[in-house]
């Protein structure tokens, strides 16, 4: 958001409550129209150079036997062409904007007052200031978002918790990502990175239990209880869990907001329309939304007209992405051994050479449908 606003001639201030640039996080990817945008930004090569090196996704059973392999050339599933760690992408974006954007670390917004001709912003640490517009470009539990829209946006839990952490790399880890299903609707993922460590995650189906509100020690205990008998590499990961410094547990949710703008307020990315990691489009949707919002602000003299154009152009695209396929996330989290066996059978067929050859017959049509979902304007 800051990149495009400063590119279009706006004076931009970014408020970050962390004391410094946060470089942690898991694998994310830049897909479809978002790849076109990073090309326009001149950042595609830098993102490609920081690639995690992930070759694709392999599904395995408890004996580490490969059920099916999906190389990253398989479009629309698994590993994307531009696969990067969240922290690396943050660093690239910060370096591309730091000369022309005012970054304020170690502070946060505590109060907002939309006075029609400006917004008065009160900070926790710094002095009160006035701005033309305030844009929430953060996460689904954004405090700024609540100050702007109250309880209007609905956080829709989709029935699965996920925990992410970084663990030491061992010799048997490869450049492939691995997916393992354990009975009881549990999944373990292991993914390579470019830092000689391994990124991993646990996910499990659960009613809304408030685990995300617990202390880190309590969250670790929940994970241990849930995966103690899961098999495969669970013992290795649970051992590393004790020393891991970046453990993160949260419920997987979507943000459904009836509007993304109000007065001189706007929101973009996860704060406005988080689609969940299940779509593989969270980062890409944030990149696309920021480009369109900034572009429309550059195109219109009136911010109200720009906000209206932003919503009109992007909302149908967001709704399509948030429309999860039938059975998600339950289909990927079978409860019983029989269900896992059925799931693995489908994967064997889907990853077979015959299936790949048949799918290629329809690739052209599918890609055309994808590209027709949203026509990116070219802003000048």
């Amino acid at each position: 958001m800051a990149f495009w606003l400063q590119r279009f001639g706006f004076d931009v201030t970014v408020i970050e409550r962390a004391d410094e640039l946060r470089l942690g996080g898991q694998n994310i990817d830049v897909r479809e129209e978002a790849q076109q945008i990073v090309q326009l930004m001149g950042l595609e090569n830098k993102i490609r150079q920081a690639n995690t090196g992930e070759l694709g996704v392999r599904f395995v059973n408890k004996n580490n036997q490969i059920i099916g392999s999906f190389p990253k050339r398989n479009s629309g599933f698994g590993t994307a062409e531009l696969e990067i760690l969240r922290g690396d992408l943050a660093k690239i974006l910060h370096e591309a904007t730091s000369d022309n954007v005012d970054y304020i670390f170690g502070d946060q917004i505590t109060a907002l007052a939309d006075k029609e001709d400006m917004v008065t912003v009160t900070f926790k640490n710094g002095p009160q200031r006035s701005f033309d517009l305030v844009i929430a470009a953060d996460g689904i539990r954004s405090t700024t978002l609540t100050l702007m829209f109250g309880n209007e946006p609905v956080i829709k839990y989709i029935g699965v918790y996920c925990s992410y952490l970084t663990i030491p790399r061992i010799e048997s880890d490869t450049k492939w990502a691995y997916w393992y299903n354990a009975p009881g609707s549990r999944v373990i993922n292991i993914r390579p990175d470019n830092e000689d460590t391994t990124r991993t995650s646990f996910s499990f189906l659960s009613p809304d239990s408030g685990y995300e509100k617990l202390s880190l020690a309590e969250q670790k205990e929940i994970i241990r209880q849930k995966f103690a008998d899961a098999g495969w590499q669970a013992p290795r990961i649970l051992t590393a869990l004790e020393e891991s410094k970046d453990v993160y547990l949260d419920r997987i949710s979507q943000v459904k907001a009836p509007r993304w703008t109000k007065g001189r307020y706007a929101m973009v990315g996860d704060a406005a329309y988080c689609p969940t990691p299940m779509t593989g489009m969270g980062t890409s949707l944030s990149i696309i939304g920021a480009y369109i919002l900034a572009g429309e602000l550059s195109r219109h003299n009136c911010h109200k007209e720009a906000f209206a154009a932003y919503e009109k152009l992007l909302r149908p695209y967001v709704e399509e992405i948030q429309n999860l396929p039938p059975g998600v996330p339950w289909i990927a989290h079978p409860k019983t051994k029989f269900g896992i066996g059925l799931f693995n059978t489908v994967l064997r067929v889907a990853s077979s050479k015959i299936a790949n050859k048949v799918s290629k017959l329809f690739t052209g049509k599918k890609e055309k449908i994808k590209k027709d979902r949203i026509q990116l304007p070219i802003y000048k």
Side-chain angles (χ1 to χ4, degrees):
M1 191 74 223
F3 177 96
W4 285 111
L5 285 174
Q6 61 86 25
R7 170 71 66 87
F8 295 137
F10 292 86
D11 293 327
V12 186
T13 300
V14 174
I15 308 298
E16 167 58 53
R17 69 178 183 179
D19 291 331
E20 57 187 7
L21 192 65
R22 297 173 62 222
L23 298 178
Q26 300 291 313
N27 307 54
I28 57 176
D29 42 56
V30 180
R31 299 177 183 269
E32 300 181 16
E33 290 83 2
Q35 186 170 352
Q36 299 175 39
I37 293 171
V38 297
Q39 289 170 1
L40 294 173
M41 298 169 78
L43 299 179
E44 183 183 28
N45 287 339
K46 288 188 176 182
I47 294 173
R48 198 178 295 278
Q49 290 167 6
N51 205 282
T52 62
E54 186 172 292
L55 299 176
V57 182
R58 283 177 170 167
F59 289 80
V60 296
N61 61 20
K62 64 180 181 180
N63 298 317
N64 207 39
Q65 296 170 321
I66 298 173
I67 305 299
S69 293
F70 296 86
K72 67 178 179 180
R73 65 177 177 270
N74 286 27
S75 61
F77 176 81
T79 307
E81 181 184 355
L82 298 181
E83 199 84 26
I84 186 172
L85 295 177
R86 190 212 66 83
D88 287 345
L89 181 58
K91 184 177 180 180
I92 289 171
L93 292 170
H94 180 257
E95 289 176 348
T97 54
S98 57
D99 288 343
N100 300 306
V101 171
D102 182 18
Y103 279 89
I104 298 177
F105 290 95
D107 209 345
Q108 63 187 97
I109 297 171
T110 58
L112 291 167
D114 186 346
K115 299 180 179 179
E116 295 191 1
D117 60 336
M118 68 179 68
V119 180
T120 300
V121 182
T122 303
F123 297 98
K124 182 178 181 180
N125 300 318
Q128 191 177 80
R129 296 173 61 183
S130 294
F131 297 88
D132 293 310
L133 303 171
V134 177
I135 300 170
D138 41 9
I140 65 174
R141 294 182 183 84
S142 160
T143 303
T144 306
L145 174 62
T146 303
L147 293 173
M148 292 176 173
F149 295 89
N151 295 322
E152 221 178 68
V154 175
I155 299 178
K156 179 184 177 184
Y157 176 56
I158 67 167
V160 60
Y161 275 88
C162 196
S163 177
Y164 303 92
L165 65 154
T166 303
I167 64 174
R169 181 179 174 82
I170 59 176
E171 188 174 347
S172 60
D173 289 341
T174 72
K175 285 294 185 180
W176 285 82
Y178 291 90
W179 176 301
Y180 166 70
N181 286 88
S185 303
R186 298 172 292 176
V187 170
I188 300 175
N189 287 115
I190 288 179
R191 306 185 71 175
D193 63 23
N194 56 347
E195 298 181 354
D196 292 326
T197 52
T198 295
R199 311 288 160 143
T200 187
S201 67
F202 296 107
S203 64
F204 55 94
L205 297 187
S206 170
D208 190 352
S209 304
Y211 297 143
E212 73 282 1
K213 301 175 183 177
L214 299 177
S215 68
L216 180 58
E218 291 171 320
Q219 289 179 344
K220 286 184 176 182
E221 181 58 29
I222 291 294
I223 297 168
R224 282 192 291 267
Q225 292 175 6
K226 293 286 184 182
F227 287 87
D229 64 345
W232 191 52
Q233 296 203 37
R236 167 202 173 186
I237 303 170
L238 291 175
T239 298
L241 176 72
E242 299 303 317
E243 300 299 326
S244 180
K245 297 179 181 178
D246 66 347
V247 181
Y248 177 76
L249 175 66
D250 202 0
R251 57 178 194 170
I252 302 302
S253 306
Q254 291 185 328
V255 175
K256 301 277 191 175
R259 55 179 174 171
W260 303 330
T261 63
K262 174 186 175 184
R264 290 183 174 270
Y265 303 147
M267 51 182 172
V268 69
D270 277 0
Y273 32 74
C274 177
T276 81
M278 302 297 175
T279 66
M281 285 293 291
T283 301
S284 296
L285 196 55
S286 296
I287 292 171
I288 294 166
Y291 171 72
I292 291 175
L293 177 53
E296 293 301 328
L297 284 168
S298 74
R299 179 178 283 183
H300 295 85
N301 292 325
C302 173
H303 73 275
K304 293 180 180 179
E305 294 177 359
F307 285 173
Y310 162 61
E311 295 225 20
K312 182 178 180 180
L313 180 58
L314 194 63
R315 188 168 287 274
Y317 183 62
V318 168
E319 290 178 349
E320 180 182 346
I321 290 173
Q322 287 190 328
N323 186 20
L324 298 176
V328 174
W330 302 276
I331 195 170
H333 292 74
K335 184 176 182 179
T336 64
K337 291 183 178 179
F338 175 79
I340 293 173
L342 184 60
F343 182 66
N344 288 344
T345 298
V346 173
L347 290 171
R348 285 193 187 95
V349 173
S351 65
S352 69
K353 292 182 179 179
I354 294 176
N356 286 333
K357 288 180 179 178
V358 172
S359 68
K360 288 179 181 178
L361 296 175
F362 303 95
T363 299
K365 184 177 180 182
K366 288 182 179 179
E367 288 301 313
K368 184 178 186 301
I369 291 172
K370 279 185 178 181
K371 290 178 180 179
D372 285 346
R373 289 194 301 186
I374 187 170
Q375 295 294 326
L376 291 178
I378 302 298
Y379 301 107
K380 297 181 180 179

